[in-house]
Amino acid sequence: MKYLTLILTVFFVMSCKEKQEVPKPTEMVKDKFIFATWTNPGGVFNKEKWETKLASYDTLGISEVLVGGSPDFYRQLIPIAEKRNIKIHAWMWTLNRPNDTTANKHPEWYAVNRKGKNSLEYRAYVDYYQWLSPFHPEARDYIKNNVKELAKIKGLASIHLDYVRYVDVILGADLQPKYGLVQNTEMPEYDYGYHPIAREGFKAIFGKDPLDLAHPELSTEWRQYRLNAITSLVNELVDIAHKHEQKMSAAVFPFPEMSRQMVRQAWNDWNLDSAFPMVYNNFYRENVNWIGFAIEQGVKDVEFPIYAGLYSPALTNPKDLEKAIRLVKEKGAKGFSFFTADNLSDEQKSVFIKLKEEFKNE
């Protein structure tokens, strides 16, 4: 009964037309176009290694670093970064929790696809795809506790959510051949959100089990119901962060309408402080102009600032890289984050340095 109550609450709250008003902290750095990067922690914390890495970032104009790690890792890194006026974001894998020893003990926490297999048993596309369900209250509590631990860390620029969505029901056009797929329909093994709790809650409202529909993937009510579960979770995580005077950002798919279709992610309904749309144009076989188009859609759809996520292998040509950075600035992004600045070519570095000097006087 408690599960049903939770699902009904999620549905009705998130179905309201007006979003909850949440006080929003100020932007990360006011009136400055931000250069940022995602990076990996690199194993055991090594102070000298990080001092060298941060010095390299500094020369490129990078002033924000999004990195995963433990609370102890951040407490060691933040003081070093502060000496160079570099801000650290705690990059957190949210619903995709590969090899999570706590979650692995609870198979019932995992997302379920239309064929009835959960994400611990059937790992779509790659082995590290092990997704928790946003409908299971204990899985939600576990994620909230992860945020609470990060929220205690002083000096973070934000808690940065990633993989806060469902499994990709449709992969980018360039990725499908790598898995021997042609996804011109929503295939049941990649269509997630069918946890028994989700089905129970949907049936309580609409009088039907989504699996009894001839084409559940075409039901707008069922899609919105699943979108609402992610949105309510994110907004609860935002509330936790804000209560601890922390900001909340998220890595998201390129623009809201595309995100809804591909991964059931309605990020324009989220109460974020900022978003980092991953406009990886090569994944979709698109040109550099598409990056500007995608950013423009997001800027129009949300009130919080957007920082474009750019993909290094797609922008090896320095002319393309410079064009992409100028485009996202022109279309209203407040900066960009590169995945990743750790393996830039000399030609790519020269673009960073050139634009760093140009933009600093604006």
Side-chain angles (χ1 to χ4, degrees):
M1 188 64 189
K2 66 178 181 179
Y3 293 166
L4 177 58
T5 301
L6 169 68
I7 297 304
L8 290 171
T9 301
V10 168
F11 181 83
F12 286 114
V13 169
M14 296 312 304
S15 295
C16 294
K17 290 185 179 179
E18 294 185 5
K19 296 182 191 176
Q20 180 184 3
E21 291 297 324
V22 176
K24 296 194 174 184
T26 56
E27 293 181 16
M28 287 184 285
V29 178
K30 190 171 177 61
D31 298 326
K32 181 181 176 183
F33 188 77
I34 298 300
F35 291 25
T37 185
W38 284 282
T39 190
N40 293 314
V44 177
F45 182 81
N46 183 309
K47 183 178 179 182
E48 290 183 359
K49 173 187 166 184
W50 273 100
E51 285 175 339
T52 301
K53 181 180 273 199
L54 293 172
S56 173
Y57 290 163
D58 197 16
T59 64
L60 299 172
I62 293 171
S63 60
E64 312 260 343
V65 176
L66 304 104
V67 57
S70 67
D72 184 58
F73 167 82
Y74 294 118
R75 291 187 179 101
Q76 294 179 81
L77 179 60
I78 289 169
I80 299 171
E82 285 178 340
K83 291 178 182 177
R84 291 190 174 274
N85 293 317
I86 292 177
K87 296 182 182 295
I88 301 298
H89 301 251
W91 181 12
M92 171 182 150
W93 286 28
T94 311
L95 283 164
N96 184 23
R97 304 291 303 177
N99 304 314
D100 186 316
T101 55
T102 299
N104 284 176
K105 297 173 184 175
H106 302 277
E108 71 279 8
W109 289 5
Y110 285 81
V112 178
N113 67 19
R114 197 171 0 131
K115 294 188 83 170
K117 302 234 176 175
N118 81 22
S119 190
L120 192 58
E121 299 168 346
Y122 175 76
R123 299 173 185 181
Y125 308 117
V126 287
D127 190 59
Y128 69 83
Y129 261 28
Q130 300 170 35
W131 296 76
L132 300 182
S133 171
F135 288 99
H136 199 291
E138 292 174 10
R140 289 171 74 101
D141 286 344
Y142 179 61
I143 293 165
K144 290 177 191 177
N145 286 333
N146 290 339
V147 169
K148 287 174 184 176
E149 288 303 308
L150 293 174
K152 296 173 185 176
I153 301 166
K154 302 298 182 185
L156 285 175
S158 79
I159 298 169
H160 181 68
L161 305 178
D162 200 356
Y163 291 100
V164 58
R165 55 181 178 84
Y166 295 90
V167 171
D168 321 54
V169 66
I170 301 289
L171 286 175
D174 198 56
L175 298 177
Q176 291 180 31
K178 295 179 181 179
Y179 300 97
L181 294 171
V182 177
Q183 291 179 318
N184 47 25
T185 60
E186 295 185 2
M187 301 166 71
E189 58 265 51
Y190 306 113
D191 182 19
Y192 277 77
Y194 291 78
H195 194 284
I197 295 172
R199 291 165 54 199
E200 177 188 337
F202 186 83
K203 186 174 182 180
I205 297 167
F206 296 102
K208 60 190 81 170
D209 185 328
L211 284 178
D212 291 336
L213 301 174
H215 291 283
E217 74 278 12
L218 300 181
S219 167
T220 54
E221 292 81 8
W222 177 231
R223 176 172 293 190
Q224 187 62 51
Y225 182 81
R226 288 179 288 171
L227 289 170
N228 290 348
I230 298 286
T231 296
S232 66
L233 173 62
V234 171
N235 288 340
E236 288 168 18
L237 298 179
V238 171
D239 287 344
I240 291 168
H242 285 180
K243 284 176 184 176
H244 289 81
E245 299 184 343
Q246 296 278 14
K247 298 173 187 175
M248 182 70 78
S249 62
V252 294
F253 266 54
F255 55 93
E257 182 58 29
M258 184 178 184
S259 301
R260 281 182 168 86
Q261 293 178 5
M262 298 189 78
V263 294
R264 321 288 193 218
Q265 184 187 64
W267 57 268
N268 57 322
D269 289 334
W270 300 356
N271 298 326
L272 297 171
D273 298 302
S274 60
F276 290 68
M278 298 172 288
V279 286
Y280 299 169
N281 58 303
N282 64 322
F283 284 15
Y284 310 103
R285 294 180 181 165
E286 298 288 355
N287 62 19
V288 174
N289 290 333
W290 177 87
I291 293 173
F293 171 85
I295 291 300
E296 187 174 25
Q297 308 318 302
V299 168
K300 287 177 180 177
D301 280 352
V302 300
E303 297 179 357
F304 47 75
I306 284 177
Y307 301 83
L310 302 177
Y311 189 53
S312 179
L315 301 168
T316 54
N317 184 318
K319 291 182 180 179
D320 288 343
L321 174 58
E322 181 172 344
K323 181 178 180 179
I325 294 171
R326 292 188 184 280
L327 261 178
V328 301
K329 188 172 188 288
E330 174 190 324
K331 297 300 183 180
K334 300 299 183 182
F336 71 91
S337 183
F338 220 56
F339 187 78
T340 169
D342 294 335
N343 53 6
L344 293 173
S345 67
D346 289 341
E347 290 79 10
Q348 288 173 311
K349 288 179 181 178
S350 68
V351 173
F352 274 66
I353 293 167
K354 172 186 175 181
L355 296 182
K356 163 193 168 184
E357 294 303 315
E358 179 181 329
F359 295 164
K360 76 177 182 181
N361 296 317
E362 293 185 357

